[in-house]
Amino acid sequence: MPSLSSHRFRLSSNKQPIKSVMSVFEGHHATVNCLECNRTMVPRVVTYYGQPLRSICPFCGATFAKFPSGLQRFFEHFQPKAPSLDAFKSLVMLTLCFGLIWLISDWVKVPEEFSFVGTIGTLILAIIAAAELTVQFVEFIAAKLSHESNYYWAGLVLTFLVLSNENSNIINYLLLFLGIMILRWFVVGVLQILRTKGQ
């Protein structure tokens, strides 16, 4: 009668090799470096009523990543994730096209509507291009300094509100600036969607 130890030996000798747990994570890193304290850590997720808000460093509490809400994810389709001059280049090209129409309408005898479209298109697109350049400049500065660009925009709006409290005429410029930014957001969003579909 074989002993219990021999059974154990047979069972262990017939056992199939199990795939290493480490191979499951091959090419993936379970830990990351905190951007604030530079420690190696596993981010902790902060939730609100079951919805993830952000992940934080367990050592210093700094925010590592933010999880956008459904509305923010919808708006992200209209805004590139990183500062980019692609939309500005497209707007400059469109401005030059309408400017060419404007110049041709002055040189060649064409209907006045043709000249009107060229003039209005050139002016509007030039203003939108300038607004886009301003936005990308603010986003670039915020990314360079590792800041949230929302604070820059909030500071700009607060500055406008303080100045409009001192001088009521500035509120008209504030409304004009807001209208230009909304128009720029819509136009750049359409260009972003068209570029995404083209890829």
Side-chain angles (χ1 to χ4, degrees), residues 127-128 130-131 175-186:
I127 292 171
I128 295 173
L175 294 174
L176 179 62
F177 177 76
L178 182 62
I180 291 172
M181 284 300 174
I182 291 173
L183 183 61
R184 169 257 159 207
W185 174 78
F186 178 75

Side-chain angles (χ1 to χ4, degrees), residues 5-103:
S5 61
S6 63
H7 278 296
R8 285 179 184 166
F9 180 77
R10 282 184 197 144
L11 287 174
S12 62
S13 63
N14 292 334
K15 190 180 287 185
Q16 297 294 326
I18 298 173
K19 189 178 181 181
S20 173
V21 178
M22 290 302 293
S23 64
V24 177
F25 297 100
E26 189 175 354
H28 301 281
H29 299 285
T31 59
V32 292
N33 288 332
C34 176
L35 300 175
E36 292 295 327
C37 64
N38 293 322
R39 292 185 180 180
T40 302
M41 55 89 180
V42 177
R44 303 294 190 261
V45 178
V46 178
T47 61
Y48 181 74
Y49 287 102
Q51 296 296 322
L53 296 179
R54 63 183 182 274
S55 61
I56 62 170
C57 171
F59 298 110
C60 66
T63 300
F64 179 73
K66 288 187 177 180
F67 304 110
S69 64
L71 187 61
Q72 287 173 326
R73 284 195 296 271
F74 170 75
F75 284 129
E76 280 179 357
H77 292 292
F78 292 86
Q79 180 66 28
K81 293 180 174 60
S84 171
L85 292 176
D86 292 338
F88 174 72
K89 293 174 185 175
S90 300
L91 287 169
V92 169
M93 289 299 297
L94 288 172
T95 304
L96 291 176
C97 290
F98 275 92
L100 190 61
I101 293 172
W102 187 9
L103 288 176

Side-chain angles (χ1 to χ4, degrees), residues 95-124:
T95 304
L96 291 176
C97 290
F98 275 92
L100 190 61
I101 293 172
W102 187 9
L103 288 176
I104 291 173
S105 64
D106 283 345
W107 292 340
V108 183
K109 193 173 183 180
V110 293
E112 291 183 3
E113 292 81 7
F114 198 72
S115 176
F116 178 76
V117 168
T119 306
I120 295 299
T122 303
L123 294 176
I124 291 176

Side-chain angles (χ1 to χ4, degrees), residues 142-153:
K144 197 75 174 173
L145 299 175
S146 300
H147 294 159
E148 289 286 337
S149 61
N150 297 337
Y151 300 126
Y152 289 79
W153 293 113

Side-chain angles (χ1 to χ4, degrees), residues 131-188:
E132 171 63 12
L133 187 62
T134 303
V135 169
Q136 292 305 321
F137 176 74
V138 172
E139 294 289 335
F140 175 78
I141 293 297
K144 197 75 174 173
L145 299 175
S146 300
H147 294 159
E148 289 286 337
S149 61
N150 297 337
Y151 300 126
Y152 289 79
W153 293 113
L156 187 62
V157 171
L158 183 62
T159 303
F160 265 117
L161 290 175
V162 170
L163 291 175
S164 63
N165 190 29
E166 298 293 328
N167 188 355
S168 59
N169 294 330
I170 296 179
I171 198 164
N172 296 326
Y173 294 104
L174 176 61
L175 294 174
L176 179 62
F177 177 76
L178 182 62
I180 291 172
M181 284 300 174
I182 291 173
L183 183 61
R184 169 257 159 207
W185 174 78
F186 178 75
V187 172
V188 171

